[in-house]
PDB file of all heavy atoms in Angstrom:
ATOM      1  N   MET G1303       0.830  -1.208   0.000  1.00 91.00           N
ATOM      2  CA  MET G1303       0.000   0.000   0.000  1.00 91.00           C
ATOM      3  C   MET G1303       0.861   1.253   0.000  1.00 91.00           C
ATOM      4  O   MET G1303       0.589   2.205  -0.729  1.00 91.00           O
ATOM      5  CB  MET G1303      -0.927   0.011   1.217  1.00 91.00           C
ATOM      6  CG  MET G1303      -2.097  -0.931   1.111  1.00 91.00           C
ATOM      7  SD  MET G1303      -3.164  -0.859   2.548  1.00 91.00           S
ATOM      8  CE  MET G1303      -3.876   0.763   2.363  1.00 91.00           C
ATOM      9  N   ILE G1304       1.908   1.253   0.807  1.00 93.00           N
ATOM     10  CA  ILE G1304       2.798   2.420   0.874  1.00 93.00           C
ATOM     11  C   ILE G1304       3.521   2.621  -0.453  1.00 93.00           C
ATOM     12  O   ILE G1304       3.606   3.737  -0.963  1.00 93.00           O
ATOM     13  CB  ILE G1304       3.794   2.280   2.032  1.00 93.00           C
ATOM     14  CG1 ILE G1304       3.051   2.372   3.356  1.00 93.00           C
ATOM     15  CG2 ILE G1304       4.878   3.342   1.958  1.00 93.00           C
ATOM     16  CD1 ILE G1304       3.911   2.145   4.565  1.00 93.00           C
ATOM     17  N   SER G1305       4.016   1.548  -1.045  1.00 94.00           N
ATOM     18  CA  SER G1305       4.735   1.697  -2.316  1.00 94.00           C
ATOM     19  C   SER G1305       3.801   2.173  -3.432  1.00 94.00           C
ATOM     20  O   SER G1305       4.218   2.959  -4.285  1.00 94.00           O
ATOM     21  CB  SER G1305       5.417   0.397  -2.704  1.00 94.00           C
ATOM     22  OG  SER G1305       4.466  -0.613  -2.940  1.00 94.00           O
ATOM     23  N   ASN G1306       2.542   1.739  -3.419  1.00 93.00           N
ATOM     24  CA  ASN G1306       1.583   2.230  -4.414  1.00 93.00           C
ATOM     25  C   ASN G1306       1.321   3.724  -4.243  1.00 93.00           C
ATOM     26  O   ASN G1306       1.219   4.458  -5.222  1.00 93.00           O
ATOM     27  CB  ASN G1306       0.270   1.457  -4.327  1.00 93.00           C
ATOM     28  CG  ASN G1306       0.385   0.049  -4.854  1.00 93.00           C
ATOM     29  OD1 ASN G1306       1.278  -0.265  -5.623  1.00 93.00           O
ATOM     30  ND2 ASN G1306      -0.505  -0.816  -4.409  1.00 93.00           N
ATOM     31  N   LYS G1307       1.186   4.170  -2.988  1.00 93.00           N
ATOM     32  CA  LYS G1307       0.954   5.594  -2.731  1.00 93.00           C
ATOM     33  C   LYS G1307       2.163   6.428  -3.147  1.00 93.00           C
ATOM     34  O   LYS G1307       2.018   7.495  -3.737  1.00 93.00           O
ATOM     35  CB  LYS G1307       0.648   5.839  -1.245  1.00 93.00           C
ATOM     36  CG  LYS G1307      -0.695   5.328  -0.823  1.00 93.00           C
ATOM     37  CD  LYS G1307      -1.763   6.190  -1.427  1.00 93.00           C
ATOM     38  CE  LYS G1307      -3.135   5.761  -0.989  1.00 93.00           C
ATOM     39  NZ  LYS G1307      -4.193   6.448  -1.684  1.00 93.00           N
ATOM     40  N   VAL G1308       3.365   5.957  -2.845  1.00 93.00           N
ATOM     41  CA  VAL G1308       4.582   6.686  -3.231  1.00 93.00           C
ATOM     42  C   VAL G1308       4.686   6.731  -4.751  1.00 93.00           C
ATOM     43  O   VAL G1308       5.068   7.757  -5.322  1.00 93.00           O
ATOM     44  CB  VAL G1308       5.825   6.039  -2.580  1.00 93.00           C
ATOM     45  CG1 VAL G1308       7.106   6.585  -3.166  1.00 93.00           C
ATOM     46  CG2 VAL G1308       5.793   6.250  -1.076  1.00 93.00           C
ATOM     47  N   HIS G1309       4.310   5.654  -5.402  1.00 94.00           N
ATOM     48  CA  HIS G1309       4.331   5.616  -6.870  1.00 94.00           C
ATOM     49  C   HIS G1309       3.336   6.621  -7.461  1.00 94.00           C
ATOM     50  O   HIS G1309       3.565   7.163  -8.544  1.00 94.00           O
ATOM     51  CB  HIS G1309       4.014   4.204  -7.368  1.00 94.00           C
ATOM     52  CG  HIS G1309       4.029   4.055  -8.846  1.00 94.00           C
ATOM     53  ND1 HIS G1309       5.188   4.119  -9.589  1.00 94.00           N
ATOM     54  CD2 HIS G1309       3.020   3.879  -9.734  1.00 94.00           C
ATOM     55  CE1 HIS G1309       4.898   3.976 -10.866  1.00 94.00           C
ATOM     56  NE2 HIS G1309       3.585   3.825 -10.986  1.00 94.00           N
ATOM     57  N   ASN G1310       2.235   6.900  -6.739  1.00 92.00           N
ATOM     58  CA  ASN G1310       1.219   7.859  -7.201  1.00 92.00           C
ATOM     59  C   ASN G1310       1.531   9.296  -6.810  1.00 92.00           C
ATOM     60  O   ASN G1310       0.683  10.167  -6.975  1.00 92.00           O
ATOM     61  CB  ASN G1310      -0.162   7.467  -6.672  1.00 92.00           C
ATOM     62  CG  ASN G1310      -0.694   6.226  -7.330  1.00 92.00           C
ATOM     63  OD1 ASN G1310      -0.333   5.908  -8.454  1.00 92.00           O
ATOM     64  ND2 ASN G1310      -1.541   5.506  -6.623  1.00 92.00           N
ATOM     65  N   GLY G1311       2.712   9.570  -6.291  1.00 90.00           N
ATOM     66  CA  GLY G1311       3.129  10.942  -6.035  1.00 90.00           C
ATOM     67  C   GLY G1311       3.120  11.371  -4.582  1.00 90.00           C
ATOM     68  O   GLY G1311       3.455  12.510  -4.277  1.00 90.00           O
ATOM     69  N   PHE G1312       2.756  10.501  -3.651  1.00 93.00           N
ATOM     70  CA  PHE G1312       2.788  10.850  -2.237  1.00 93.00           C
ATOM     71  C   PHE G1312       4.206  10.725  -1.704  1.00 93.00           C
ATOM     72  O   PHE G1312       5.010   9.959  -2.227  1.00 93.00           O
ATOM     73  CB  PHE G1312       1.865   9.919  -1.438  1.00 93.00           C
ATOM     74  CG  PHE G1312       0.409  10.233  -1.567  1.00 93.00           C
ATOM     75  CD1 PHE G1312      -0.345   9.708  -2.601  1.00 93.00           C
ATOM     76  CD2 PHE G1312      -0.220  11.062  -0.660  1.00 93.00           C
ATOM     77  CE1 PHE G1312      -1.688   9.985  -2.727  1.00 93.00           C
ATOM     78  CE2 PHE G1312      -1.563  11.352  -0.772  1.00 93.00           C
ATOM     79  CZ  PHE G1312      -2.299  10.816  -1.806  1.00 93.00           C
ATOM     80  N   THR G1313       4.506  11.480  -0.648  1.00 94.00           N
ATOM     81  CA  THR G1313       5.785  11.344   0.034  1.00 94.00           C
ATOM     82  C   THR G1313       5.537  10.801   1.429  1.00 94.00           C
ATOM     83  O   THR G1313       4.562  11.162   2.086  1.00 94.00           O
ATOM     84  CB  THR G1313       6.531  12.690   0.133  1.00 94.00           C
ATOM     85  OG1 THR G1313       5.702  13.628   0.804  1.00 94.00           O
ATOM     86  CG2 THR G1313       6.898  13.203  -1.233  1.00 94.00           C
ATOM     87  N   LEU G1314       6.423   9.950   1.881  1.00 93.00           N
ATOM     88  CA  LEU G1314       6.295   9.309   3.187  1.00 93.00           C
ATOM     89  C   LEU G1314       6.786  10.263   4.264  1.00 93.00           C
ATOM     90  O   LEU G1314       7.944  10.670   4.264  1.00 93.00           O
ATOM     91  CB  LEU G1314       7.097   8.009   3.205  1.00 93.00           C
ATOM     92  CG  LEU G1314       6.998   7.148   4.436  1.00 93.00           C
ATOM     93  CD1 LEU G1314       5.573   6.651   4.620  1.00 93.00           C
ATOM     94  CD2 LEU G1314       7.948   5.978   4.330  1.00 93.00           C
ATOM     95  N   GLU G1315       5.903  10.652   5.174  1.00 93.00           N
ATOM     96  CA  GLU G1315       6.269  11.553   6.258  1.00 93.00           C
ATOM     97  C   GLU G1315       6.648  10.798   7.520  1.00 93.00           C
ATOM     98  O   GLU G1315       7.569  11.187   8.220  1.00 93.00           O
ATOM     99  CB  GLU G1315       5.122  12.519   6.570  1.00 93.00           C
ATOM    100  CG  GLU G1315       4.943  13.589   5.543  1.00 93.00           C
ATOM    101  CD  GLU G1315       3.983  14.658   6.000  1.00 93.00           C
ATOM    102  OE1 GLU G1315       3.552  14.645   7.171  1.00 93.00           O
ATOM    103  OE2 GLU G1315       3.657  15.524   5.181  1.00 93.00           O
ATOM    104  N   GLU G1316       5.901   9.746   7.817  1.00 93.00           N
ATOM    105  CA  GLU G1316       6.156   8.984   9.040  1.00 93.00           C
ATOM    106  C   GLU G1316       5.751   7.541   8.805  1.00 93.00           C
ATOM    107  O   GLU G1316       4.738   7.260   8.177  1.00 93.00           O
ATOM    108  CB  GLU G1316       5.337   9.572  10.187  1.00 93.00           C
ATOM    109  CG  GLU G1316       5.560   8.904  11.511  1.00 93.00           C
ATOM    110  CD  GLU G1316       4.743   9.528  12.626  1.00 93.00           C
ATOM    111  OE1 GLU G1316       4.143  10.588  12.417  1.00 93.00           O
ATOM    112  OE2 GLU G1316       4.691   8.923  13.698  1.00 93.00           O
ATOM    113  N   ARG G1317       6.567   6.625   9.343  1.00 92.00           N
ATOM    114  CA  ARG G1317       6.256   5.200   9.217  1.00 92.00           C
ATOM    115  C   ARG G1317       6.610   4.506  10.525  1.00 92.00           C
ATOM    116  O   ARG G1317       7.669   4.729  11.086  1.00 92.00           O
ATOM    117  CB  ARG G1317       7.039   4.575   8.069  1.00 92.00           C
ATOM    118  CG  ARG G1317       6.756   3.101   7.901  1.00 92.00           C
ATOM    119  CD  ARG G1317       7.448   2.517   6.713  1.00 92.00           C
ATOM    120  NE  ARG G1317       7.214   1.073   6.665  1.00 92.00           N
ATOM    121  CZ  ARG G1317       7.340   0.361   5.582  1.00 92.00           C
ATOM    122  NH1 ARG G1317       7.693   0.924   4.451  1.00 92.00           N
ATOM    123  NH2 ARG G1317       7.117  -0.931   5.615  1.00 92.00           N
ATOM    124  N   ASN G1318       5.710   3.669  11.014  1.00 91.00           N
ATOM    125  CA  ASN G1318       5.934   2.907  12.228  1.00 91.00           C
ATOM    126  C   ASN G1318       5.713   1.439  11.890  1.00 91.00           C
ATOM    127  O   ASN G1318       4.591   1.028  11.608  1.00 91.00           O
ATOM    128  CB  ASN G1318       4.973   3.360  13.329  1.00 91.00           C
ATOM    129  CG  ASN G1318       5.273   2.722  14.657  1.00 91.00           C
ATOM    130  OD1 ASN G1318       5.752   1.603  14.728  1.00 91.00           O
ATOM    131  ND2 ASN G1318       4.977   3.446  15.710  1.00 91.00           N
ATOM    132  N   ASP G1319       6.795   0.655  11.930  1.00 86.00           N
ATOM    133  CA  ASP G1319       6.692  -0.756  11.564  1.00 86.00           C
ATOM    134  C   ASP G1319       6.213  -1.626  12.713  1.00 86.00           C
ATOM    135  O   ASP G1319       5.827  -2.768  12.498  1.00 86.00           O
ATOM    136  CB  ASP G1319       8.033  -1.265  11.043  1.00 86.00           C
ATOM    137  CG  ASP G1319       8.319  -0.747   9.650  1.00 86.00           C
ATOM    138  OD1 ASP G1319       7.354  -0.534   8.900  1.00 86.00           O
ATOM    139  OD2 ASP G1319       9.500  -0.546   9.321  1.00 86.00           O
ATOM    140  N   GLU G1320       6.247  -1.115  13.945  1.00 87.00           N
ATOM    141  CA  GLU G1320       5.737  -1.893  15.079  1.00 87.00           C
ATOM    142  C   GLU G1320       4.213  -1.870  15.104  1.00 87.00           C
ATOM    143  O   GLU G1320       3.567  -2.899  15.271  1.00 87.00           O
ATOM    144  CB  GLU G1320       6.279  -1.346  16.390  1.00 87.00           C
ATOM    145  CG  GLU G1320       7.746  -1.628  16.614  1.00 87.00           C
ATOM    146  CD  GLU G1320       8.227  -1.071  17.930  1.00 87.00           C
ATOM    147  OE1 GLU G1320       7.380  -0.761  18.794  1.00 87.00           O
ATOM    148  OE2 GLU G1320       9.445  -0.950  18.094  1.00 87.00           O
ATOM    149  N   LEU G1321       3.624  -0.686  14.959  1.00 88.00           N
ATOM    150  CA  LEU G1321       2.164  -0.551  14.982  1.00 88.00           C
ATOM    151  C   LEU G1321       1.552  -0.583  13.586  1.00 88.00           C
ATOM    152  O   LEU G1321       0.336  -0.517  13.448  1.00 88.00           O
ATOM    153  CB  LEU G1321       1.779   0.756  15.678  1.00 88.00           C
ATOM    154  CG  LEU G1321       2.225   0.876  17.129  1.00 88.00           C
ATOM    155  CD1 LEU G1321       1.882   2.253  17.673  1.00 88.00           C
ATOM    156  CD2 LEU G1321       1.590  -0.206  17.982  1.00 88.00           C
ATOM    157  N   LEU G1322       2.373  -0.662  12.573  1.00 88.00           N
ATOM    158  CA  LEU G1322       1.970  -0.731  11.170  1.00 88.00           C
ATOM    159  C   LEU G1322       1.040   0.406  10.764  1.00 88.00           C
ATOM    160  O   LEU G1322      -0.123   0.219  10.417  1.00 88.00           O
ATOM    161  CB  LEU G1322       1.328  -2.086  10.858  1.00 88.00           C
ATOM    162  CG  LEU G1322       2.250  -3.288  10.952  1.00 88.00           C
ATOM    163  CD1 LEU G1322       1.481  -4.556  10.655  1.00 88.00           C
ATOM    164  CD2 LEU G1322       3.428  -3.159  10.021  1.00 88.00           C
ATOM    165  N   PHE G1323       1.583   1.627  10.825  1.00 92.00           N
ATOM    166  CA  PHE G1323       0.869   2.769  10.270  1.00 92.00           C
ATOM    167  C   PHE G1323       1.877   3.696   9.618  1.00 92.00           C
ATOM    168  O   PHE G1323       3.057   3.690   9.950  1.00 92.00           O
ATOM    169  CB  PHE G1323       0.042   3.520  11.324  1.00 92.00           C
ATOM    170  CG  PHE G1323       0.828   4.405  12.237  1.00 92.00           C
ATOM    171  CD1 PHE G1323       1.087   5.720  11.893  1.00 92.00           C
ATOM    172  CD2 PHE G1323       1.314   3.934  13.438  1.00 92.00           C
ATOM    173  CE1 PHE G1323       1.814   6.542  12.716  1.00 92.00           C
ATOM    174  CE2 PHE G1323       2.034   4.744  14.274  1.00 92.00           C
ATOM    175  CZ  PHE G1323       2.291   6.049  13.919  1.00 92.00           C
ATOM    176  N   ALA G1324       1.395   4.489   8.677  1.00 94.00           N
ATOM    177  CA  ALA G1324       2.236   5.452   7.980  1.00 94.00           C
ATOM    178  C   ALA G1324       1.390   6.657   7.589  1.00 94.00           C
ATOM    179  O   ALA G1324       0.200   6.532   7.335  1.00 94.00           O
ATOM    180  CB  ALA G1324       2.855   4.837   6.734  1.00 94.00           C
ATOM    181  N   VAL G1325       2.038   7.815   7.587  1.00 94.00           N
ATOM    182  CA  VAL G1325       1.391   9.055   7.155  1.00 94.00           C
ATOM    183  C   VAL G1325       2.092   9.511   5.890  1.00 94.00           C
ATOM    184  O   VAL G1325       3.310   9.656   5.856  1.00 94.00           O
ATOM    185  CB  VAL G1325       1.467  10.143   8.249  1.00 94.00           C
ATOM    186  CG1 VAL G1325       0.843  11.434   7.750  1.00 94.00           C
ATOM    187  CG2 VAL G1325       0.797   9.670   9.520  1.00 94.00           C
ATOM    188  N   LEU G1326       1.300   9.709   4.840  1.00 95.00           N
ATOM    189  CA  LEU G1326       1.831  10.152   3.557  1.00 95.00           C
ATOM    190  C   LEU G1326       1.182  11.467   3.174  1.00 95.00           C
ATOM    191  O   LEU G1326       0.038  11.723   3.543  1.00 95.00           O
ATOM    192  CB  LEU G1326       1.552   9.108   2.479  1.00 95.00           C
ATOM    193  CG  LEU G1326       2.192   7.748   2.714  1.00 95.00           C
ATOM    194  CD1 LEU G1326       1.133   6.747   3.070  1.00 95.00           C
ATOM    195  CD2 LEU G1326       2.949   7.310   1.503  1.00 95.00           C
ATOM    196  N   SER G1327       1.917  12.306   2.460  1.00 94.00           N
ATOM    197  CA  SER G1327       1.356  13.591   2.044  1.00 94.00           C
ATOM    198  C   SER G1327       1.648  13.827   0.567  1.00 94.00           C
ATOM    199  O   SER G1327       2.583  13.270  -0.003  1.00 94.00           O
ATOM    200  CB  SER G1327       1.941  14.729   2.877  1.00 94.00           C
ATOM    201  OG  SER G1327       3.308  14.892   2.600  1.00 94.00           O
ATOM    202  N   LYS G1328       0.801  14.670  -0.002  1.00 91.00           N
ATOM    203  CA  LYS G1328       0.949  15.038  -1.408  1.00 91.00           C
ATOM    204  C   LYS G1328       0.710  16.529  -1.507  1.00 91.00           C
ATOM    205  O   LYS G1328      -0.345  17.016  -1.094  1.00 91.00           O
ATOM    206  CB  LYS G1328      -0.070  14.270  -2.245  1.00 91.00           C
ATOM    207  CG  LYS G1328       0.110  14.378  -3.730  1.00 91.00           C
ATOM    208  CD  LYS G1328      -0.900  13.471  -4.420  1.00 91.00           C
ATOM    209  CE  LYS G1328      -0.591  13.326  -5.883  1.00 91.00           C
ATOM    210  NZ  LYS G1328      -1.542  12.430  -6.542  1.00 91.00           N
ATOM    211  N   GLY G1329       1.678  17.250  -1.998  1.00 87.00           N
ATOM    212  CA  GLY G1329       1.569  18.694  -2.105  1.00 87.00           C
ATOM    213  C   GLY G1329       0.554  19.120  -3.144  1.00 87.00           C
ATOM    214  O   GLY G1329       0.105  18.337  -3.982  1.00 87.00           O
ATOM    215  N   GLY G1330       0.180  20.376  -3.060  1.00 83.00           N
ATOM    216  CA  GLY G1330      -0.795  20.916  -4.004  1.00 83.00           C
ATOM    217  C   GLY G1330      -0.229  21.034  -5.405  1.00 83.00           C
ATOM    218  O   GLY G1330       0.979  21.120  -5.616  1.00 83.00           O
TER     219      GLY G1330
END
């Protein structure tokens, strides 16, 4: 899911592999 979002232009801001969550952002 993260790699698909990054491929669609999002940038990874935060990733936690213990709790399995990530925050991604996409500029205007």
Side-chain angles (χ1 to χ4, degrees):
M1303 285 181 69
I1304 292 176
S1305 64
N1306 288 339
K1307 289 289 183 188
V1308 169
H1309 181 70
N1310 289 334
F1312 283 87
T1313 57
L1314 185 63
E1315 286 190 7
E1316 182 179 350
R1317 180 176 176 159
N1318 187 329
D1319 286 329
E1320 288 180 17
L1321 299 176
L1322 294 179
F1323 77 88
V1325 178
L1326 298 109
S1327 67
K1328 189 175 191 179

